[in-house]
Every structure is written in C-alpha cells, then in structure tokens.
Amino acid sequence: MKKNINKLKILITSISLAILTLIVVIFVACNDNNETHTQEERIYKSISTYPDNKDNPYDYIGKQHNILLNQLLISIFDYETKTGDTFKGNFDKVVSFGSKYINDNGFDTNGNYNMLKALYKNDCNFFFDLIDNQPIDISSKECIKNICRATVSMYIKNPKTSYNEYYDYIISVEKNILNGKISISPKYIENIFSFTATFRYSLYFWMNDNYFHNTQKSLWRVVGWDAVGALVGSLVGHAIDCGTIASLYAAMTDKDATVTVNA
C-alpha cells in the first residue's frame, strides 16, 4: 500500500513537471531546451559554438543584449499571465514597457523611442535605407550591408545552415577588420563591432530557442531589428538598450522581413 502511494506521488510529480515544462515552452520562448545557470549567460546544449569573440572589444554589448532580452521576455510573460493583457504587435506598448524595464536596470533609454520609430518606418530589405542614412562612412555602411547580404544568402542557398557556419563567417569579418584586410576607420570600429556582436548573439539566442518554429524569414527580421538597432543606438551610446527593445518588438509581431537582398 505504502509502495503504491509513493508511486502515485512520483506520477503526480512527473505530471506536474511535464505540465510546467509545457507552459514554459509555449509562453517563454527563451527557455526552450536550455538552462539558465547564472544571470550572466544562457547555456544551450543544441549548439556547440558559444557566440562570444574575445577579440571584439565590444563583445559585451551582444552578451548584455541577450541577458536583458531573456529577462524582458520573462517579465512580459509574467505581466501577460497576471493581467490577461497582451503586447502583441503594439509598438508603443512594447517600447514603453521595455524602456521602463531597462531604465530600472540602470540604462539610460533617453531618445530610444525616436531611434526605434526610425527602425519601424524602415522595416524592409534589412534596413538598407536606414543604414545608408547613418552618420558613418561608406566603407562602414558597405561592411554592414555585406554581412546582411552574405548571411541571408547563406540561408537562401541552404535553409539548414547551422549557427556555427554563420558564427564562423561573422568572426572572419571581425578578424579581417582587426588585421586590416577590411579597412574601417577607427572612428567607426565601435559601431561596426556593436553591430556584429549583437548579430552573433541575436542569432544564437533565437536559433536556440526555436521561437519561430522554423519560419526563418521571421528570424531574419528579428535579427535585423536587433543588429541594426544596436548600430543606430551605438552612435549615441545606446547600443544595448536600443537593440534589445527592437528585438523585443520584432519578436512580438507576425510580420515577416523582406529578406531578398542582392548577393
């Protein structure tokens, strides 16, 4: 009798854990198949390459982006669960919530709304028009657009391209900038490396979480918002917060990006 009661307890516990796991998978995209070991990093078992590049002096921007994005998604999930309210597709609401949360965590989000509105109005073809309008030189703009062209072309040629392959390509670009094979003015190194760091970490975040259920066009749209948001923000010292809130909004809409770029 006692043995049967113990078995029943184990069964109930297993069912409870299964239900809890299912809820987390459905509502918290960032917790699929991974464990959060510390506040500083997310550990994924499905991808062998971690997204860091110690040679990029602005790598911390991408890392902090993922930490804040993870926390924001959990915070929004909690809010929606408690209130029954939704942020889906509501630009002003997402930006307001994200800005307040990030501001409460010590980041100055002044001016973010206008930068994010510019992203919102130029949400096509990987924001090439917006990139062209930034106060950086032509070489920097072309470097950024070439990364967009190359990575999307990799996907078009092979939709099953692994994260490791994207990572290796972006690392090679960063290496070529550092060794002078790609000529970038020292004045714009921070802007370029803020973009590449966020690009690497954003891809890592979303490809691991299966958030888009293999709808890769949506994935590219969010990565575009992330990385270009970090670029625009980096010009006024807002790379982390602008990129994170941009990612949050893009992830909460059904719209796909125009990802057909000329290779």
Side-chain angles (χ1 to χ4, degrees), residues 179-241:
N179 63 26
K181 289 183 180 178
I182 296 177
S183 181
I184 298 293
S185 167
K187 184 178 178 181
Y188 303 116
I189 290 290
E190 178 179 353
N191 311 120
I192 299 291
F193 280 172
S194 295
F195 173 86
T196 56
T198 304
F199 203 106
R200 275 186 285 107
Y201 277 86
S202 175
L203 264 176
Y204 184 81
F205 187 100
W206 296 113
M207 286 183 76
N208 269 283
D209 290 315
N210 297 316
Y211 184 86
F212 299 105
H213 307 290
N214 299 317
T215 56
Q216 292 286 341
K217 285 180 71 177
S218 294
L219 168 69
W220 288 113
R221 177 172 186 265
V222 174
V223 172
W225 270 82
D226 272 13
V228 178
L231 167 68
V232 174
S234 72
L235 292 162
V236 289
H238 288 273
I240 297 170
D241 41 304

Side-chain angles (χ1 to χ4, degrees), residues 156-169:
I156 291 170
K157 289 175 184 175
N158 178 17
K160 294 184 178 179
T161 298
S162 68
Y163 173 77
N164 293 5
E165 293 171 89
Y166 293 123
Y167 172 87
D168 287 344
Y169 165 72

Side-chain angles (χ1 to χ4, degrees), residues 87-185:
F87 288 81
K88 194 174 177 69
N90 190 320
F91 177 82
D92 286 345
K93 197 171 183 177
V94 170
V95 173
S96 176
F97 186 93
S99 294
K100 183 181 183 310
Y101 183 91
I102 289 177
N103 192 262
D104 289 345
N105 278 270
F107 290 85
D108 176 14
T109 57
N110 234 356
N112 267 3
Y113 182 85
N114 290 335
M115 288 185 285
L116 292 161
K117 200 69 176 177
L119 285 167
Y120 182 80
K121 290 177 178 177
N122 291 273
D123 186 6
C124 61
N125 202 26
F126 243 95
F127 308 95
F128 278 15
D129 290 342
L130 183 62
I131 293 167
D132 283 334
N133 288 330
Q134 297 310 303
I136 55 178
D137 62 12
I138 293 174
S139 297
S140 299
K141 292 173 185 176
E142 282 307 306
C143 178
I144 290 165
K145 290 193 286 185
N146 284 340
I147 292 170
C148 298
R149 292 187 188 103
T151 48
V152 173
S153 294
M154 287 167 71
Y155 166 72
I156 291 170
K157 289 175 184 175
N158 178 17
K160 294 184 178 179
T161 298
S162 68
Y163 173 77
N164 293 5
E165 293 171 89
Y166 293 123
Y167 172 87
D168 287 344
Y169 165 72
I170 297 168
I171 290 292
S172 73
V173 173
E174 292 175 322
K175 184 177 180 180
N176 285 336
I177 291 172
L178 289 167
N179 63 26
K181 289 183 180 178
I182 296 177
S183 181
I184 298 293
S185 167

Side-chain angles (χ1 to χ4, degrees), residues 22-124:
L22 181 61
I23 290 171
V24 170
V25 167
I26 292 172
F27 289 104
V28 188
C30 55
N31 285 335
D32 186 37
N33 293 326
N34 62 74
E35 301 169 10
T36 303
H37 288 259
T38 70
Q39 287 284 332
E40 296 179 359
E41 65 180 359
R42 292 158 50 89
I43 304 298
Y44 301 88
K45 295 178 180 178
S46 60
I47 291 179
S48 58
T49 301
Y50 189 72
D52 66 323
N53 178 17
K54 294 179 177 62
D55 293 330
N56 180 339
Y58 300 97
D59 198 67
Y60 70 91
I61 287 173
K63 184 174 185 179
Q64 188 64 51
H65 163 277
N66 278 21
I67 293 167
L68 279 173
L69 181 58
N70 183 38
Q71 292 170 345
L72 256 172
L73 285 169
I74 292 171
S75 184
I76 279 185
F77 161 67
D78 288 342
Y79 175 86
E80 290 183 333
T81 301
K82 289 171 184 173
T83 66
D85 197 3
T86 181
F87 288 81
K88 194 174 177 69
N90 190 320
F91 177 82
D92 286 345
K93 197 171 183 177
V94 170
V95 173
S96 176
F97 186 93
S99 294
K100 183 181 183 310
Y101 183 91
I102 289 177
N103 192 262
D104 289 345
N105 278 270
F107 290 85
D108 176 14
T109 57
N110 234 356
N112 267 3
Y113 182 85
N114 290 335
M115 288 185 285
L116 292 161
K117 200 69 176 177
L119 285 167
Y120 182 80
K121 290 177 178 177
N122 291 273
D123 186 6
C124 61

